[in-house]
Amino acid sequence: MSATVTIPLDSSARSQAALKPGLSLAGQLGARVRLVSVVPREENSTERKALLQSILAARGLNDAQVEVVVHGSVNDGLMQAMSAEPDSPLVMSTHARGAVGEAVVGSVAGNVLRQSRRPVLLAGPDLSEEWTGPIRTVLICLDGSTLSEAVLPPAVAFARSIGADVRLIQVLKPSFGHGGPGADSGEWVYLRRMADHMPEKFGVQANWDVLHGKDVARAVVEYSALIQGAVIAMTTHGRTGLQRVIMGSFAREVVHSARSPVLVLRPDENGNV
């Protein structure tokens, strides 16, 4: 991982929701914090830089890096800043004001996911005030598809870089797994097999757990809330374009409701990173 963790901020309080997971990640990596902000005109840059510095000073981060980019497009300005440090982990808020579909799809966060293949650690609108680092467990959501499994390499690399545990999770709806724990269903066999192959494929041991519920996203969110220092990792399952998928998908609901940060990756249509 990079020697810096990039956290995009604007002048809103909402954007600062990314600071808690971002600072936690930077501390675990031993990395420098890099705050990036985009303003439309040069005359706005001094005020914005002073704001970012005051945010850092309030947290005692005097050695953090502050970068203000002047650009007519917030999205393009951020992509420009990201390209300067392509290996820097990115932590950002969804800037949600209403439905998360608006925030993730219509915001800077949505454009980052759409235009890049890097995983992004998102602080959703319901990130708990009680969530605290360090990040101890990465919960990797799988459903048996190639697309869901595309998150494994970056999620495992993320977990290994900070010494976090890896746990694979899958949600079965009531029509599956009637035999309960230990039942010989294809879904249970799949997750157990994936966990068994983790040492060989990725060099890590992984726990696993099968959840149950009619509402798959809710089951994941409620489970993650029980685990201190959890991060949820998942793909957007984007087959027909990110906007359509996030607006109506499992990924949208998890990001909207999660009380933990969510590590999101958008693979290509073939499930490649």
Side-chain angles (χ1 to χ4, degrees):
M1 289 246 177
S2 170
T4 64
V5 170
T6 298
I7 308 174
L9 294 181
D10 55 26
S11 58
S12 71
R14 176 61 215 154
S15 71
Q16 295 180 38
L19 285 169
K20 187 180 288 186
L23 297 179
S24 178
L25 177 59
Q28 289 179 257
L29 289 171
R32 190 180 188 188
V33 175
R34 176 188 181 222
L35 298 189
V36 175
S37 196
V38 181
V39 295
R41 293 176 295 276
E42 184 65 43
E43 54 264 35
N44 303 127
S45 60
T46 300
E47 181 180 355
R48 183 63 57 84
K49 187 171 184 178
L51 172 64
L52 299 185
Q53 288 173 332
S54 69
I55 291 171
L56 291 172
R59 290 164 173 78
L61 297 171
N62 299 319
D63 61 341
Q65 178 180 345
V66 172
E67 183 177 339
V68 177
V69 178
V70 179
H71 202 292
S73 165
V74 173
N75 297 320
D76 292 344
L78 179 56
M79 294 303 294
Q80 174 184 309
M82 288 169 56
S83 66
E85 295 200 35
D87 297 325
S88 175
L90 189 67
V91 185
M92 62 193 307
S93 163
T94 62
H95 290 65
R97 294 183 178 84
V100 76
E102 280 183 63
V104 174
V105 177
S107 73
V108 177
N111 280 283
V112 169
L113 287 169
R114 187 178 296 114
Q115 295 177 42
S116 70
R117 285 290 181 265
R118 72 166 68 189
V120 180
L121 189 61
L122 292 176
D126 284 351
L127 179 68
S128 174
E129 290 289 332
E130 298 177 358
W131 186 93
T132 59
I135 299 167
R136 297 176 176 175
T137 304
V138 178
L139 304 173
I140 303 179
C141 300
L142 300 176
D143 62 13
S145 70
T146 301
L147 284 165
S148 73
E149 292 172 13
V151 79
L152 282 167
V156 170
F158 177 85
R160 292 184 69 171
S161 70
I162 57 176
D165 293 334
V166 172
R167 188 176 304 182
L168 310 182
I169 60 173
Q170 181 185 21
V171 181
L172 304 185
K173 293 187 177 181
S175 57
F176 297 115
H178 291 298
D184 188 19
S185 70
E187 289 78 14
W188 284 80
V189 170
Y190 161 74
L191 203 62
R192 184 169 58 244
R193 184 175 67 247
M194 293 297 295
D196 288 345
H197 290 168
M198 292 293 285
E200 176 187 352
K201 289 186 174 181
F202 301 105
V204 297
Q205 297 286 339
N207 295 316
W208 59 278
D209 211 348
V210 175
L211 315 180
H212 296 86
K214 293 181 180 180
D215 187 327
V216 177
R218 181 177 178 180
V220 170
V221 168
E222 292 182 348
Y223 180 79
S224 67
L226 300 174
I227 302 172
Q228 187 174 5
V231 160
I232 303 167
M234 61 193 307
T235 61
T236 61
H237 289 60
R239 289 187 177 87
T240 57
L242 182 64
Q243 180 169 352
R244 179 176 173 184
V245 171
I246 288 191
M247 287 294 288
S249 74
F250 165 61
R252 172 202 165 183
E253 296 303 324
V254 171
V255 173
H256 179 267
S257 304
R259 296 185 285 278
S260 305
V262 184
L263 186 71
V264 180
L265 173 74
R266 182 199 175 201
D268 64 22
E269 294 183 357
N270 298 315
N272 298 315
V273 178

